[in-house]
Amino acid sequence: MSDDTAIRPFRIDIPRADLDDLHDRLRRTRFPGELPGVGWDRGVPQSYLKELVDYWATSYDWREHEAKINAFPQFTTTIDGQDIHFLHVRSPEADATPLILTHGWPGSIVEFLDVIGPLTDPRAHGGDPADAFHVVIPSIPGYGFSRPVTDQGWNIRRIAQAWAVLMSRLGYERYGAQGGDWGSGISRDLGVVDAEHVIGVHLNFLLTFPSGAPGELDGLTEAERERLKGLDRFMDDMSGYMKIQSTRPQTLAYGLADSPAGQLAWIVEKFREWTDSEKAPEDAVDRDRMLTNVTLYWLTNTAGSSAQLYYEFAHAWSMPEVSATPTGIAVFPREIAPSVRKLAERADAIVHWTEFDRGGHFAAMEEPDLLVGDVRAFFRGLRESGR
């Protein structure tokens, strides 16, 4: 590992032996059986997973999608002792706004492949060139090619501080941040720790928990109260993965690191539950794009290292600091628990709020056009206000 501040070109080139090993493991998958007629209620149905495992082993072409990622400039650099992998795609518009995009779990840089073109070159995608961005898309430490994690303590705050160093190292004095899932927390924290340089933060995920203060819920609409019930549903029925990864990530890692079918099921379940889908994840996201995301976890052996962020968060959690950085929120209806504006405004300087009628947790994959349009509108508003 390099200890210097150099920015090193990077290209994905997975050895053929690793792909052969993946295919061999998939062909030898031992399935556990299941109760009849339960569908998705108890997890991923075996009939669905069997078909997807077969497709992954016989039809999915990693090289095709590896080439799509490699079409974008990639680099690594060392920050705080950790090698950080990132895409850096400069706009053809010289005065474009720098923007750092951060993924979450179980996502990766793959989430953003469909938004890079429209964000960096709106002129070529029917947009206004004034809305152009230079985009930086890092892999969170422990995820993808930002691995292995070198030590303990890589929580949201430390990652945000690393992102501030990254943007400075790239020569960006004023820039924006965008993210969902963990990327939301990291982007929001970036607006706190580097407020002097962050012009605005756009989020497509923000949990808004009631604090229990008297009168806090007065004036909420019935729809907003229903959103708060979504938090209860999530904690009661959908948060088992979070509890395991927050407490025993290492034990979980042995199973996921040894079984690609297990890794697939662990991730695909979330694409079913958190997206605007009715019967299967492919209702909301492209099958090959979803498998590229899963394959990246498998080939980089990051099931365990990515889960460490849950442990770090759980053991360093505190109430979020108030942020004075202008913040924009995009609310998608099939989010885990859509945000409530009144509660969001307790700690964030909300200047932009959009509610959509479709889409879910993986907005950049599900509804890239809606997300791009909202990011453009938010930062356009900041420009017009002189920010």
Side-chain angles (χ1 to χ4, degrees):
M1 178 179 293
S2 174
D3 291 324
D4 60 29
T5 60
I7 295 173
R8 304 174 290 275
F10 181 88
R11 183 176 178 82
I12 303 171
D13 186 14
I14 299 299
R16 180 71 250 177
D18 291 358
L19 300 177
D20 291 341
D21 176 69
L22 168 60
H23 295 151
D24 180 60
R25 288 171 183 263
L26 289 171
R27 284 191 293 268
R28 294 186 295 108
T29 299
R30 184 176 71 163
F31 291 93
E34 64 180 344
L35 292 174
V38 298
W40 287 83
D41 291 347
R42 303 191 182 204
V44 182
Q46 183 166 291
S47 59
Y48 170 81
L49 196 69
K50 273 189 171 183
E51 193 276 328
L52 190 58
V53 164
D54 180 70
Y55 179 86
W56 194 9
T58 63
S59 300
Y60 172 80
D61 183 359
W62 164 258
R63 292 300 188 201
E64 174 188 343
H65 300 281
E66 180 183 73
K68 289 181 179 180
I69 301 173
N70 280 334
F72 300 108
Q74 298 171 75
F75 305 88
T76 62
T77 194
T78 305
I79 301 173
D80 192 11
Q82 173 69 42
D83 277 356
I84 301 296
H85 165 260
F86 62 99
L87 277 63
H88 183 200
V89 186
R90 291 187 59 85
S91 171
E93 310 296 338
D95 58 350
T97 301
L99 178 67
I100 184 167
L101 303 165
T102 307
H103 65 85
W105 183 93
S108 66
I109 59 168
V110 172
E111 288 186 55
F112 297 112
L113 296 182
D114 288 335
V115 303
I116 293 173
L119 287 175
T120 58
D121 193 4
R123 189 192 301 269
H125 292 81
D128 184 344
D131 290 328
F133 298 93
H134 303 304
V135 301
V136 179
I137 308 175
S139 298
I140 295 173
Y143 289 67
F145 296 100
S146 288
R147 55 74 170 110
V149 179
T150 54
D151 58 3
Q152 300 177 52
W154 277 99
N155 55 30
I156 284 177
R157 175 54 58 93
R158 187 173 176 185
I159 297 168
Q161 291 168 335
W163 279 194
V165 173
L166 175 61
M167 295 303 278
S168 175
R169 193 170 290 179
L170 293 174
Y172 293 134
E173 289 297 315
R174 301 282 286 167
Y175 63 92
Q178 200 285 327
D181 196 87
W182 285 127
S184 170
I186 294 165
S187 298
R188 186 187 179 280
D189 239 25
L190 186 53
V192 174
V193 302
D194 201 25
E196 180 182 353
H197 301 106
V198 177
I199 60 176
V201 173
H202 182 279
L203 309 175
N204 59 277
F205 174 75
L206 181 66
L207 289 178
T208 47
F209 291 94
S211 67
E216 183 180 39
L217 305 184
D218 292 352
L220 294 189
T221 66
E222 188 60 35
E224 289 173 327
R225 291 178 183 273
E226 189 62 31
R227 290 180 182 181
L228 297 181
K229 293 179 183 178
L231 285 172
D232 293 333
R233 288 192 294 271
F234 172 74
M235 295 306 297
D236 290 344
D237 188 52
M238 300 167 65
S239 62
Y241 79 95
M242 182 172 63
K243 189 66 173 176
I244 294 172
Q245 296 191 155
S246 297
T247 57
R248 299 294 185 270
Q250 186 63 34
T251 304
L252 170 71
Y254 297 112
L256 300 187
D258 195 53
S259 169
Q263 176 70 93
L264 178 65
W266 193 247
I267 291 179
V268 163
E269 179 186 88
K270 304 313 167 195
F271 275 85
R272 169 63 176 81
E273 293 185 340
W274 298 353
T275 58
D276 195 358
S277 58
E278 294 300 326
K279 295 181 179 180
E282 292 92 330
D283 295 340
V285 297
D286 177 76
R287 170 176 277 201
D288 276 13
R289 186 57 53 81
M290 181 174 68
L291 284 174
T292 300
N293 182 70
V294 176
T295 307
L296 187 62
Y297 274 82
W298 175 260
L299 294 174
T300 57
N301 193 15
T302 47
S305 58
S306 64
Q308 297 296 329
L309 182 51
Y310 284 84
Y311 188 94
E312 298 290 354
F313 178 79
H315 290 77
W317 185 86
S318 62
M319 289 297 292
E321 294 180 39
V322 172
S323 173
T325 300
T327 301
I329 306 293
V331 182
F332 292 87
R334 289 294 297 274
E335 182 55 86
I336 294 171
S339 306
V340 174
R341 181 164 188 166
K342 179 180 179 181
L343 301 184
E345 289 175 337
R346 295 172 306 184
D348 293 275
I350 306 296
V351 300
H352 176 94
W353 187 278
T354 308
E355 301 199 6
F356 294 103
D357 61 1
R358 64 185 188 274
H361 188 70
F362 300 95
M365 298 175 79
E366 295 181 66
E367 300 292 346
D369 291 345
L370 295 183
L371 183 64
V372 166
D374 204 61
V375 170
R376 289 174 176 171
F378 169 64
F379 284 99
R380 185 185 311 128
L382 296 183
R383 289 198 308 272
E384 291 172 353
S385 68
R387 175 70 180 176

